[in-house]
Amino acid sequence: MTTSLTAAYRAALPAETDSLAELMRTADPATPIPACPSWSLANLMTHVGRGHRWAAAMITDRATERIDFRAVPDGAMPKEPDAAAKWLSDSARLVLDAVDRTGGHVEIWTPFGPPRPAEWWIRRRLHEATVHRADALLALGREVTLSPELAADGISEWLGLLETALVGSPVPVLPDGATLHLHATDPGLDAAGEWTVRGAGTGIEWDHGHAKGAVALRGTAVALLLAILRRIPTDDPGLEIYGDTAIFDRWLDTTPF
């Protein structure tokens, strides 16, 4: 059964990928991407499109282990701009088609912990597209256009990934018991626009809601997402930071991805 949230992810995945693909028609594919050192815009587009196809292949095969990323069918992006844009747009729809054929609740291998329902991949691929579209826009000197709701969900999704990814990490990302609070200023987000992250051993625990943190970051949901992923600096005019800034510096230095 498709929930309203899953339906929203299903609509957003092709829409965000289409927006990214449109850049292939107008921008120089050799444009460097500062957020992803050594990548060009063409590299970034290939990464997203092949990643969508990789997820679709694992869902279709009901994978119980990782499929080689380099062995994905049709994984090379065409060089001609219109063909490249279509290739990228099609890749998002392949994910949705694979979920529909396989069944959204069939368990599939993931890089983050145990196997998860196939439909989990829709949200994962969505936020891979949103963040890399932001990378492309920043590289091109353009405004990052992303709805507050989608940016806020991207923060929540990333924190959920970190909970799993940091298990057994040799270096704590936050001092044990220290708290990081994120507060989105966009109207209408309510509790979904606040996050309290706590150090727990080498990992984290987090929840929504207002709480005083040892360090707090305040700004739009888009600015917060870009800041915690190291896409914009904390002195960006769209952000305010309070408290022990060394704790947030440590967070930026030690979180993966």
Side-chain angles (χ1 to χ4, degrees):
M1 180 178 178
T2 300
T3 66
S4 59
L5 194 56
T6 302
Y9 296 146
R10 289 182 66 97
L13 173 59
E16 285 295 315
T17 304
D18 287 351
S19 294
L20 179 58
E22 189 59 31
L23 295 177
M24 282 305 297
R25 302 181 194 275
T26 57
D28 181 356
T31 301
I33 307 295
C36 305
S38 81
W39 278 15
S40 66
L41 181 62
N43 295 141
L44 182 148
M45 300 288 189
T46 298
H47 175 80
V48 174
R50 185 178 295 167
H52 286 348
R53 282 170 160 73
W54 176 65
M58 287 191 294
I59 295 164
T60 298
D61 291 353
R62 302 185 177 216
T64 57
E65 59 185 25
R66 186 184 188 277
I67 290 177
D68 186 348
F69 195 74
R70 297 166 298 178
V72 173
D74 196 23
M77 185 177 70
K79 294 188 180 299
E80 195 277 321
D82 286 342
K86 183 179 186 303
W87 175 88
L88 183 52
S89 289
D90 287 349
S91 68
R93 288 158 178 86
L94 290 174
V95 176
L96 301 180
D97 291 346
V99 171
D100 290 342
R101 288 195 307 270
T102 300
H105 298 293
V106 173
E107 302 253 307
I108 307 294
W109 178 89
T110 80
F112 303 99
R116 300 173 190 257
E119 64 186 10
W120 175 91
W121 278 102
I122 300 174
R123 188 187 189 202
R124 174 79 290 273
R125 295 312 306 171
L126 164 61
H127 289 302
E128 187 78 3
T130 61
V131 170
H132 283 314
R133 186 167 74 84
D135 291 338
L137 290 169
L138 290 169
L140 294 166
R142 303 183 192 177
E143 179 185 2
V144 176
T145 52
L146 187 62
S147 75
E149 293 78 12
L150 204 48
D153 189 73
I155 294 170
S156 297
E157 196 253 358
W158 188 65
L159 291 175
L161 295 181
L162 281 182
E163 280 188 295
T164 300
L166 292 174
V167 172
S169 173
V171 179
V173 297
L174 291 173
D176 196 26
T179 55
L180 162 65
H181 184 66
L182 306 172
H183 188 140
T185 55
D186 310 271
L189 289 178
D190 301 322
E194 294 199 58
W195 302 261
T196 297
V197 187
R198 301 173 186 83
T202 61
I204 62 165
E205 298 173 346
W206 71 278
D207 56 33
H208 286 293
H210 186 77
K212 184 176 176 59
V215 61
L217 200 63
R218 180 180 171 89
T220 65
V222 172
L224 293 177
L225 176 64
L226 297 177
I228 64 173
L229 291 175
R230 297 180 292 278
R231 265 56 182 189
I232 60 173
T234 53
D235 62 358
D236 185 272
L239 293 168
E240 299 172 288
I241 189 167
Y242 306 95
D244 189 346
T245 58
I247 291 178
F248 191 66
D249 290 341
R250 174 173 171 173
W251 168 273
L252 296 177
D253 289 342
T254 54
T255 47
F257 318 136

